[in-house]
């Protein structure tokens, strides 16, 4: 593989099976890069959950109470996904900017539906 001004250039000098496998692996690069922080957070959640089970909620060490580190995926300009593991959940926050009026309307409707769904779920519990 050689570096070019616009990115990476890959030269195939192997058998056809190796080329197919290499193309498949390259096609998974973005998926794997986006999934890695989630997988790390889920692993950390499992570790924190196991650690928290050794304590009562009052006696748990600060690190278990506070949870793990915040992971950030900056996937667009001014937009990101933040992931944080705790002993009882993994929290995912989507940070986005709605520039167009139509997008703001969709965002507002989404939040209203989410709020109503949560209210309904909490009232049934």
């Amino acid at each position: 593989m050689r570096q070019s001004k616009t990115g990476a250039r890959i030269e195939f000098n192997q058998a056809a099976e190796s080329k197919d496998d290499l193309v498949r692996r390259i096609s998974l690069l973005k998926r794997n890069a986006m999934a890695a922080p989630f997988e790390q957070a889920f692993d950390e959640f499992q570790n924190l959950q196991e650690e928290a089970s050794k304590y009562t909620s009052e006696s748990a060490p600060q690190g278990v109470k506070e949870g793990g580190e915040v992971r950030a995926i900056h996937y667009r300009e001014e937009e990101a996904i933040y992931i944080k593991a705790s002993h009882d959940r993994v929290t995912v926050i989507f940070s986005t900017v709605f520039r167009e009026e139509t997008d703001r309307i969709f965002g507002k409707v989404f939040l209203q539906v989410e709020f109503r769904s949560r209210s309904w779920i909490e009232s049934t519990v």
Side-chain angles (χ1 to χ4, degrees):
M1 181 160 73
R2 286 193 278 166
Q3 188 72 26
S4 70
K5 290 181 182 179
T6 59
R9 179 180 166 177
I10 300 171
E11 295 179 17
F12 296 103
N13 296 324
Q14 294 131 359
E17 300 85 39
S18 298
K19 290 178 194 176
D20 290 343
D21 186 50
L22 181 61
V23 169
R24 184 186 63 76
R25 289 174 184 236
I26 290 172
S27 71
L28 293 173
L29 278 175
K30 183 176 180 181
R31 177 247 171 243
N32 292 341
M34 293 289 286
F38 285 94
E39 291 175 0
Q40 292 169 348
F42 292 132
D43 289 344
E44 189 172 33
F45 162 74
Q46 189 172 14
N47 293 338
L48 288 168
Q49 192 175 40
E50 290 171 6
E51 191 66 24
S53 69
K54 300 174 187 174
Y55 304 97
T56 63
S57 59
E58 295 82 25
S59 68
Q62 198 64 23
V64 173
K65 287 181 183 177
E66 292 176 357
E69 69 178 87
V70 176
R71 292 165 175 80
I73 303 171
H74 299 279
Y75 64 97
R76 289 187 190 143
E77 189 176 323
E78 298 183 20
E79 296 186 2
I81 301 171
Y82 299 97
I83 308 146
K84 181 176 173 52
S86 299
H87 72 279
D88 61 344
R89 73 190 75 164
V90 174
T91 304
V92 180
I93 299 171
F94 294 89
S95 172
T96 188
V97 176
F98 297 113
R99 299 225 180 268
E100 297 180 19
E101 184 61 28
T102 306
D103 292 339
R104 286 193 281 273
I105 291 169
F106 284 134
K108 183 178 178 181
V109 170
F110 173 80
L111 290 174
Q112 289 171 342
V113 169
E114 179 67 20
F115 177 76
R116 286 183 190 141
S117 298
R118 284 181 182 236
S119 297
W120 181 79
I121 289 170
E122 290 173 1
S123 68
T124 60
V125 176

